[in-house]
Each structure stands twice: as C-alpha cells, then as structure tokens.
Amino acid sequence: MTTRRCALVRTAVTALVLAVAGSACTPAGSGRTPHTPTTDTAASPQAQEYDPSRFAPQVVTHARQAGVNARLLMAILYNEAYKPHDPAWERAWQRSKPDAAFGIANMHRAAFDQTKRGRDFADRDWHELPDDRDLAIKAAA
C-alpha cells in the first residue's frame, strides 16, 4: 500500500472512530444511554493489536468519568499509534532510554504520578501501563 493511500485510510478510520466516540457521548443527566461502539474488521489479530479504534468503548467510558472529550482522548491514542505497543518492546526501549513513555497513550512517569493523585488508580504504578491498556486509557483521560 502506498504511503499516500495509508494516510487516506488512516484518516478515514480516524474520522469514523471519532464520529462513533462523539455520538456515544451524551451530556451528564440527559437520561440518554450511549451506544457501545463496536469494531468488526477482517484484519489479523496482530494488526488489530495496535488499532486504537478497538478501545473506543473504554475511551468513551473513561472520558466521561474524567469529564474530558472522548474525541480528544481517542486522538491521543491515534497520535501515539505509530509506536509498537508491545510490553516487552516498551520495557526494552525504556532500559536504553530511561525517560521513555509507557502504554498506548505514551505516558511519562511524572505525568502518570501527577495524574493519579486523588483518582481511583492512585495505588497503581507507572510500570503497569504497558500491560494494562485500560489503565493507560484511564490515566490519559
């Protein structure tokens, strides 16, 4: 696939995911229940592994809980999707670059430690981010 075609496909997928995430967000107290976004793709499990659209339900949930825009949170995940998010790879990279970021949202230790204060994951550790994608999304929110 050409670079230009890849960029066009990525843009189309991003627009679709952001539209789904945006339509799933409802104002607090509106009485409306959001639809849970789903993804159905013929891509291999390895290809799906790094597809941020897979995390749309968690993005919507954690964005709502944190009071942030789900589109912004999803945009962060797409922005950080260039990096392989394999826990072993991230830890290997961190050994050579100690100030590297962890998790699918590419969060640095200082940002995680500052963010977790007063939150329900305050007892969690930054080193858990590569293995716990839900925690990475929650912290990014």
Side-chain angles (χ1 to χ4, degrees), residues 17-112:
V17 169
L18 292 178
V20 169
S23 68
C25 294
T26 57
S30 70
R32 292 180 43 215
T33 305
H35 299 289
T36 303
T38 59
T39 58
D40 185 20
T41 179
S44 70
Q46 292 81 11
Q48 291 178 16
E49 187 70 20
Y50 304 115
D51 182 4
S53 67
R54 289 185 51 226
F55 304 103
Q58 294 97 318
V59 166
V60 171
T61 298
H62 294 311
R64 182 177 294 120
Q65 290 170 348
V68 299
N69 187 310
R71 290 178 185 180
L72 173 62
L73 184 53
M74 184 60 82
I76 291 169
L77 295 185
Y78 267 98
N79 191 54
E80 301 303 339
Y82 72 92
K83 175 182 168 187
H85 292 293
D86 174 71
W89 187 93
E90 289 187 31
R91 287 189 175 85
W93 180 253
Q94 203 266 338
R95 283 191 293 275
S96 69
K97 187 178 178 194
D99 63 341
F102 271 162
I104 60 174
N106 255 5
M107 186 169 268
H108 290 274
R109 183 191 309 252
F112 179 80

Side-chain angles (χ1 to χ4, degrees), residues 124-139:
R124 304 291 298 272
D125 187 75
W126 172 74
H127 289 98
E128 296 176 60
L129 290 177
D131 300 304
D132 190 338
R133 291 177 174 188
D134 190 64
L135 174 62
I137 295 167
K138 186 183 284 192

